[in-house]
Amino acid sequence: MEVMPFSSFSVTKVPIFRSSALSPSLNYLPQDVCGQKFKLKSRKFSVCAAASGGDSVVTLLDYGAGNVRSVRNAIRYLGFDIKDVQCPEDILNANRLIFPGVGAFAAAMNVLNQKGMAEALCTYIQSDRPFLGICLGLQLLFESSEENGPVKGLGLVPGVVGRFDSSNGFRVPHIGWNALKIESNSGILDDIGGRHVYFVHSYRAMPSNDNKDWISSTCNYGDNFIASIRRGNVHAVQFHPEKSGVVGLSILRRFLQAKHYGVQRPIEREASKLAKRVIACLDVRANDRGDLVVTKGDQYDVREHTKQNEVRNLGKPVELAGQYYKDGADEVSFLNITGFRDFPLGDLPMLQVLRYTSENVFVPLTVGGGIRDFTDGNGRHYTSLEVASEYFRSGADKVSIGSDAVYAAEEYLRTGVKTGKSSLEQISRVYGNQAVVVSIDPRKVYVKNLDDIEFKAVRVKVPGPNGEEYAWYQCTVNGGREGRPIGAYELAKAVEELGAGEILLNCIDCDGQGKGFDIDLIKLISDAVSIPVIASSGAGAVEHFSEVFRETNASAALAAGIFHRKEVRRVISTGTQGSINGSHEVQGCTHLSLPDAALAGALFIGLPLLREPCSPYEY
Ligand code: 1PR
């Protein structure tokens, strides 16, 4: 196969291997990382004939750049043990290797180069040893990436990794659930059919003549992009099998067992459009006895209106999260609602909740509350980045920032300067903006005239108590306790610029009321930004979900009370576990074409068909 030259440097092909057992296309590599010209540490690597570890051992390449806990949990859940790569020889000695790339392309390549692992990886892959790259672990196999670059990759697969184009209305990052178009015999995807898998990424590799022999599936998000590649025993996927529920676990298991694939003909099917997500939210706090409980407020008041005035206790966080996962939630969010006043790293139970939950919940987990710089009672200072890192290490895939993002946005709008020091900027720089959600807690303020207010206001569908036709949405901090001089619109635009990857848009007025989402607010914000917006607060009936997806450009809808009160026992999954023939799919800015009734029907309580048939995905 010809290796395409790419703009930043020229590629000269050099023979690396002479083994006739190798696929011819693996005999030549660009002379960057895997060749002689950019020698790393000039070792002579060879793959051990008798690889180490038994059949139940998986070697994991975790170069320490982020959260690979979910991958670990999924591997263990499937009954395999993990051997961590400590040195390049561990790669060469692996029986099967999983490389869950996380973080930024350049940082990952730096680590791989510095540790001599890039060369070992190339050697291992060229020898057609069992390999599975995940997300960045797929991108790194290509020649280069435009992410903060161009930056050279391993150069095993022809092509340049580029950013999704958001100018055509597609929100970047691409976050959510898609079905794939199987392009060739993928082996590990043999059973996937029209089922959805979870993506979260801003960069992607595109199909071309030069890499077409590698491509096993593609997906579409504005452009056609490569969803997976396969050559022999070498696989890599852009999506996250470890976060794709039972379907993802099945893909992982096929790779780990590596016995049953390779015989089935791919099913002809187009890739799906991005599905709207439904997120189950658990507001968590310590009750008056100090136990961490799931609670739920009415307009943020979480205390019972009784003599004792106790915190409303709706159950145990780990149990409820597990239940919602089983019921088909596309994602689960924990909000540590008193995190603004307690120090979250002192709140070890919350970290434990994350650890236990992530052992059995294989869809994305978000955690929020208390992400800010903090000095504890002993004078030890913790940065917000350290707080977030602890959350990621404990199993979170995304963190959500509330109050601190408001302060950062105010500062940015006042000075016009991005200091790079806010929690939002720091965390998104290190973990990527797809890992940072900003949670907005606005309160509706009615006004008579647009001129009465300096913030963006909307004409409301239902006039205010004194006949006001307009309203603006005032941001609050500290769990709604303090109003700030900034509107939700101004905040959303500012945090997008500062590096937020997603917006969780609550509404204090609607919270817990069960009367539906605030459509005016959600339309205002989802039209204003090009990152995904999660509509939150007010869901009380299945129709409210269809309404918010039909009337606004929200990418996801989050609810709490409706699930806790068991009014909708099955989570209304549009993307994943409960995908109903892809019927809820919507693309970019276009609206749901599905009639309300059909969606509402699909969202119906306890509808057993919401789950895919267990076989062949049962364990
Ligand atoms: O400011 O960074 O410490 O973050 C605190 C986080 O805790 C924020 O995300 C904030 O939204 C949340 N929070 C603080 N106080 C409360 C409270 O309820 N007293 N909960 C609170 C926010 C709102 C939603 C809720 C939806 C759906 N809860 O998350 O789950 O409104 O509810 P519904 O479907 O029942 O209507 P920081």
Side-chain angles (χ1 to χ4, degrees):
M1 170 182 290
E2 287 297 308
V3 177
M4 278 288 284
F6 52 107
S7 54
S8 62
F9 61 98
S10 66
V11 177
T12 315
K13 289 179 288 179
V14 289
I16 305 272
F17 288 98
R18 317 242 180 280
S19 162
S20 57
L22 289 175
S23 153
S25 57
L26 290 176
N27 287 334
Y28 290 89
L29 288 167
Q31 218 179 16
D32 57 327
V33 171
C34 298
Q36 316 292 316
K37 192 166 145 198
F38 294 88
K39 258 185 208 143
L40 306 162
K41 288 173 191 163
S42 193
R43 310 169 176 225
K44 275 271 173 248
F45 282 136
S46 62
V47 177
C48 278
S52 72
D55 247 13
S56 64
V57 178
V58 182
T59 303
L60 189 73
L61 175 48
D62 171 7
Y63 52 85
N67 168 31
V68 299
R69 192 182 185 96
S70 321
V71 177
R72 288 180 189 281
N73 284 337
I75 294 170
R76 290 203 185 101
Y77 185 88
L78 293 171
F80 290 82
D81 297 322
I82 295 168
K83 177 175 175 11
D84 277 295
V85 170
Q86 310 283 353
C87 60
E89 284 70 24
D90 291 336
I91 294 177
L92 302 169
N93 292 340
N95 244 343
R96 42 174 115 61
L97 180 67
I98 295 189
F99 181 26
V102 279
F105 193 99
M109 275 312 297
N110 264 343
V111 177
L112 292 178
N113 284 334
Q114 274 164 16
K115 296 190 171 173
M117 289 178 180
E119 200 177 346
L121 258 179
C122 288
T123 305
Y124 180 88
I125 290 171
Q126 287 164 335
S127 307
D128 195 27
R129 306 281 303 149
F131 173 85
L132 177 64
I134 298 175
C135 194
L136 188 63
L138 171 140
Q139 297 179 7
L140 291 165
L141 303 183
F142 283 78
E143 290 168 321
S144 72
S145 170
E146 288 168 359
E147 186 177 0
N148 302 323
V151 180
K152 292 172 194 170
L154 295 172
L156 293 163
V157 185
V160 175
V161 176
R163 196 169 197 276
F164 279 114
D165 181 6
S166 60
S167 64
N168 52 8
F170 285 84
R171 286 159 200 276
V172 180
H174 169 225
I175 301 181
W177 299 78
N178 283 86
L180 310 175
K181 179 172 195 292
I182 304 294
E183 303 279 357
S184 68
N185 196 333
S186 61
I188 58 172
L189 305 178
D190 276 355
D191 286 332
I192 191 169
R195 294 172 184 87
H196 291 58
V197 288
Y198 182 78
F199 288 89
V200 49
H201 58 132
S202 301
Y203 290 82
R204 83 288 184 244
M206 310 275 278
S208 71
N209 265 341
D210 297 304
N211 59 32
K212 66 174 190 290
D213 293 346
W214 282 88
I215 299 172
S216 54
S217 71
T218 54
C219 193
N220 190 280
Y221 190 62
D223 313 312
N224 256 352
F225 68 91
I226 297 176
S228 66
I229 57 176
R230 179 203 178 176
R231 179 160 291 184
N233 291 310
V234 175
H235 302 262
V237 292
Q238 178 59 66
F239 58 88
H240 287 265
E242 78 282 9
K243 287 286 148 191
S244 298
V246 286
V247 177
L249 291 173
S250 164
I251 293 168
L252 272 178
R253 188 176 59 169
R254 277 184 160 270
F255 168 74
L256 293 171
Q257 294 183 339
K259 286 172 192 151
H260 310 299
Y261 61 72
V263 286
Q264 200 162 321
R265 277 169 59 88
I267 300 163
E268 293 280 317
R269 176 187 296 278
E270 287 304 303
S272 77
K273 296 168 186 171
L274 183 65
K276 300 283 185 181
R277 291 167 279 152
V278 173
I279 301 172
C281 182
L282 298 100
D283 289 354
V284 175
R285 61 161 286 171
N287 65 11
D288 299 326
R289 283 194 301 277
D291 304 324
L292 209 58
V293 297
V294 174
T295 189
K296 182 70 212 65
D298 288 323
Q299 301 182 325
Y300 285 32
D301 176 4
V302 298
R303 296 212 169 247
E304 300 280 13
H305 296 154
T306 58
K307 229 178 177 175
Q308 291 75 22
N309 202 222
E310 66 273 29
V311 171
R312 196 170 289 150
N313 179 348
L314 295 170
K316 295 183 179 164
V318 179
E319 266 174 33
L320 276 180
Q323 187 57 50
Y324 295 149
Y325 165 65
K326 284 192 195 137
D327 287 349
D330 290 328
E331 293 186 28
V332 174
S333 290
F334 288 110
L335 294 177
N336 186 352
I337 66 170
T338 49
F340 70 90
R341 61 163 183 247
D342 308 325
F343 178 45
L345 296 193
D347 206 350
L348 290 176
M350 188 64 217
L351 297 177
Q352 284 295 9
V353 162
L354 270 177
R355 286 182 198 125
Y356 289 138
T357 303
S358 63
E359 280 171 19
N360 293 299
V361 171
F362 297 104
V363 290
L365 283 178
T366 302
V367 64
I371 295 180
R372 67 202 148 97
D373 292 352
F374 189 87
T375 304
D376 71 12
N378 302 321
R380 159 124 204 242
H381 184 72
Y382 297 85
T383 65
S384 54
L385 185 59
E386 286 175 290
V387 177
S389 299
E390 198 52 45
Y391 275 150
F392 285 125
R393 269 195 291 275
S394 302
D397 301 289
K398 301 188 249 185
V399 293
S400 147
I401 309 175
S403 309
D404 216 44
V406 178
Y407 302 131
E410 287 180 17
E411 171 86 4
Y412 174 50
L413 291 178
R414 195 170 54 245
T415 61
V417 176
K418 291 183 198 170
T419 62
K421 291 184 181 151
S422 67
S423 52
L424 171 53
E425 290 162 286
Q426 289 189 50
I427 299 166
S428 61
R429 193 165 51 241
V430 174
Y431 289 95
N433 62 355
Q434 80 292 334
V436 185
V437 182
V438 165
S439 168
I440 311 183
D441 299 311
R443 186 176 269 123
K444 192 178 208 164
V445 184
Y446 288 103
V447 285
K448 281 228 156 75
N449 300 306
L450 282 178
D451 298 341
D452 293 350
I453 184 72
E454 62 182 294
F455 304 106
K456 179 90 170 174
V458 290
R459 183 187 276 274
V460 285
K461 280 208 186 91
V462 183
N466 301 309
E468 298 95 336
E469 287 183 22
Y470 300 96
W472 70 289
Y473 291 89
Q474 182 183 22
C475 291
T476 65
V477 292
N478 301 345
R481 287 166 181 79
E482 183 191 335
R484 299 295 303 180
I486 184 169
Y489 175 88
E490 290 75 18
L491 182 86
K493 290 187 79 72
V495 297
E496 178 178 22
E497 285 184 41
L498 290 173
E502 214 173 359
I503 286 173
L504 165 53
L505 185 57
N506 303 295
C507 177
I508 296 179
D509 309 78
C510 297
D511 174 57
Q513 303 306 294
K515 293 181 184 153
F517 297 94
D518 188 322
I519 299 295
D520 294 327
L521 169 66
I522 296 159
K523 198 166 162 16
L524 173 73
I525 303 302
S526 62
D527 288 346
V529 295
S530 62
I531 52 178
V533 171
I534 302 166
S536 166
S537 305
V542 289
E543 296 78 10
H544 294 150
F545 292 87
S546 47
E547 181 189 28
V548 77
F549 289 146
R550 192 185 59 244
E551 303 279 327
T552 78
N553 283 316
S555 300
L558 173 147
I562 192 171
F563 301 134
H564 303 332
R565 294 188 299 267
K566 313 244 181 302
E567 288 165 11
V568 173
R569 281 191 294 119
R570 293 270 170 189
V571 175
I572 311 142
S573 175
T574 61
T576 153
Q577 333 229 54
S579 158
I580 308 154
N581 304 325
S583 53
H584 306 64
E585 292 155 5
V586 285
Q587 178 121 24
C589 293
T590 61
H591 292 296
L592 202 71
S593 57
L594 199 71
D596 266 11
L599 181 58
L603 304 182
F604 190 67
I605 299 170
L607 192 73
L609 292 177
L610 282 175
R611 299 303 300 271
E612 295 285 351
C614 286
S615 176
Y617 299 109
E618 60 195 3
Y619 294 95

